């Protein structure tokens, strides 16, 4: 299982939010390139980026910081990016800049046909981000809860050809109170494509719990606040995940 460090970008800085509230941001670094290099040196095999300003504005807002990160990492590990991506031109520009996977969230729901067009235009490079609270999908930087059921939407998007689903329980994100294992497994069991878990990872116990369900189709887990505040040692977490995967005959 991949343990994936998150770098959330706001105003060019690396921050973390609590439950998606922009006003409740903690700045962890003012140098995104250095932060990306740090996680690479700690053994990260993939990086998760979010343009927070872009997610709220509906268009890219942190492209300079994103380019810094790409320049710092080169092509050493894949980078997945979401936040404010609403058209094919933006996707193409990011891929040309060196981003490996594009994550489409709000636009997958609010712009009919966009996600399917993106999957057709850039096969193998499109993921969908589904952020949910109590089984219902949230959009617009988590500011609005829709009536859409997360499992129904995931199955629909799977048919479009998305590479993976990133599932975030927004009631837990940034709160350090444990990942929603039940909801994550329930979703993964309904799909044939991989699920990446997100939201609520607190400590090494959560890594144990996630690895126990890896065989259900959980390919990775995104972690942010825990590794920045020190309740989870990233290097230790990835070493443990590799060991448990091997023990379980998965890798």
């Amino acid at each position: 299982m991949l343990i994936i460090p998150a770098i959330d970008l706001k105003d060019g800085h690396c921050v973390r939010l609590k439950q998606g509230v922009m006003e409740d941001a903690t700045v962890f670094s003012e140098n995104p390139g250095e932060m990306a290099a740090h996680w690479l040196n700690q053994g990260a095999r993939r990086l998760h980026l979010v343009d927070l300003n872009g997610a709220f504005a509906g268009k890219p807002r942190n492209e300079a910081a994103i380019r810094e990160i790409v320049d710092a990492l080169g092509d050493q590990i894949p980078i997945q990016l979401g936040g404010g991506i609403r058209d094919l031109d933006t996707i193409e520009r990011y891929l040309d800049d060196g981003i490996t996977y594009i994550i489409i969230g709000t636009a997958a729901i609010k712009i009919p046909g966009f996600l399917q067009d993106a999957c057709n235009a850039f096969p193998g490079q499109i993921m969908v981000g589904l952020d949910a609270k109590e089984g219902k999908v949230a959009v617009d930087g988590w500011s609005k809860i829709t009536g859409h059921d997360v499992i129904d939407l995931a199955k629909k998007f799977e048919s479009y050809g998305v590479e993976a689903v990133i599932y975030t329980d927004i009631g837990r994100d940034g709160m350090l109170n444990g990942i929603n294992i039940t909801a994550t497994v329930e979703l993964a069991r309904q799909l044939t494509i991989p699920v990446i878990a997100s939201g609520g990872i607190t400590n090494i116990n959560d890594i144990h719990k996630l690895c126990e369900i890896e065989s259900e189709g959980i390919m990775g887990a995104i972690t942010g606040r825990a590794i920045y505040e020190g309740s989870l040692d990233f290097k230790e977490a990835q070493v443990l995940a590799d060991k448990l995967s091997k023990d379980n005959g998965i890798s």
Side-chain angles (χ1 to χ4, degrees), residues 126-201:
I126 305 298
M127 298 179 171
V128 67
L130 292 178
D131 307 328
K133 188 172 186 179
E134 298 175 356
K136 299 299 181 183
V137 174
V139 295
D140 293 333
W142 303 353
S143 62
K144 299 174 185 173
I145 305 296
T146 72
H148 294 292
D149 181 83
V150 67
I151 290 176
D152 290 345
L153 269 184
K155 291 167 80 169
K156 177 181 177 181
F157 295 156
E158 177 180 38
S159 72
Y160 292 171
V162 296
E163 187 72 7
V165 172
I166 297 174
Y167 174 66
T168 305
D169 183 329
I170 66 173
R172 302 195 183 207
D173 188 79
M175 300 304 290
L176 298 180
N177 58 3
I179 203 154
N180 191 332
I181 294 288
T182 302
T184 304
V185 169
E186 186 180 359
L187 175 62
R189 285 176 174 168
Q190 298 294 320
L191 304 173
T192 59
I193 56 174
V195 170
I196 297 174
S198 175
I201 288 179

Side-chain angles (χ1 to χ4, degrees), residues 118-126 161 163:
C119 289
N120 290 336
F122 308 102
Q125 294 185 285
I126 305 298
E163 187 72 7

Side-chain angles (χ1 to χ4, degrees), residues 43-106:
R45 298 201 289 270
R46 183 180 295 202
L47 204 61
H48 176 80
L49 308 185
V50 181
D51 179 349
L52 291 172
N53 302 99
F56 283 85
K59 52 187 169 183
R61 284 287 188 257
N62 282 282
E63 288 190 80
I66 291 163
R67 281 194 291 271
E68 277 183 45
I69 290 169
V70 172
D71 289 345
L73 297 183
D75 58 359
Q76 295 180 79
I77 60 173
I79 303 171
Q80 56 192 48
L81 166 69
I85 298 168
R86 304 285 193 271
D87 58 71
L88 297 181
D89 287 344
T90 299
I91 295 175
E92 186 171 25
R93 187 168 71 251
Y94 276 139
L95 293 176
D96 286 346
D97 284 347
I99 297 298
T100 317
Y101 300 106
I102 297 296
I103 304 161
I104 298 174
T106 293

